[in-house]
Amino acid sequence: TAAAGTKHLRAAFDWMEQHLGPYRFGAEVGSVSAHWGGGAYGGMEHHPLWHVASDALGDESVHVHEAAHGWFGDGIRLACWEDFVLSEGAATYYEARVIEEVGEAGAGTAAWAALDQELANLRASGGGAIAWPQSCGVVDVLTIFTRVPYVKGALFLRAVERKIGRAMFDATMRKFYDAHDGEAAGVADLVDAIRATSGYDATACAQTWLATRAVPTELSCP
């Protein structure tokens, strides 16, 4: 089961080092099976040995998601809990993006389609919640620990990628990672980095995708 779930993990890790920058937590990394009890799923980003629920050990997306936290959430820490979307949204974006890049044929398409479906479900329910509260140190992270920051955050980044082009998006994310070498940052810092690198002001896009309950009807930025 572990072999199936980590079939492309080495290639995924190499891709992130090449496109985002060097990993900061040592030379040996990997997934550790965590026996959290029946019904537990997903993982926890304890780098360099991140944990994956034993029931999820065969799920490639979980391994890649937790590995991506080596860059976002751990590599770049959060300035405030309100910036939770910068960790989970980015890891979810790279979960789908990296599987698209190094996984089996069609796996990336399926990963993006699954996120699109989750977004549609949020839209049908009225948006679910705000992914990026406009405060710092006020919100208890458990109040925003839902799928909303994961899904809205990932598709916000996908919308920015479409707006500025994939090559420019990759250059922007790498510069953002380099600029916050082992430091904390927030969503506002990412918006600043997008503007500085690409010339595109993503403020309105971030507000639309992350700071309101409503869900955009198009995967785009103004």
Side-chain angles (χ1 to χ4, degrees), residues 103-124:
E104 301 291 344
T109 299
W112 290 119
L115 284 172
D116 288 339
Q117 184 58 58
E118 282 199 81
L119 192 71
N121 294 342
L122 289 176
R123 187 182 298 115

Side-chain angles (χ1 to χ4, degrees), residues 7 17 40 50 65 68 80 102 113 116 129 136 140 147 155 172 191 210 214-215 219 221:
K7 181 178 180 180
E17 285 212 290
W50 53 86
H65 180 98
C80 313
V102 307
D116 288 339
C136 183
D140 184 330
R147 284 294 292 174
L155 293 177
T172 297
V191 170
L210 307 178
V215 176
L219 184 57
C221 284

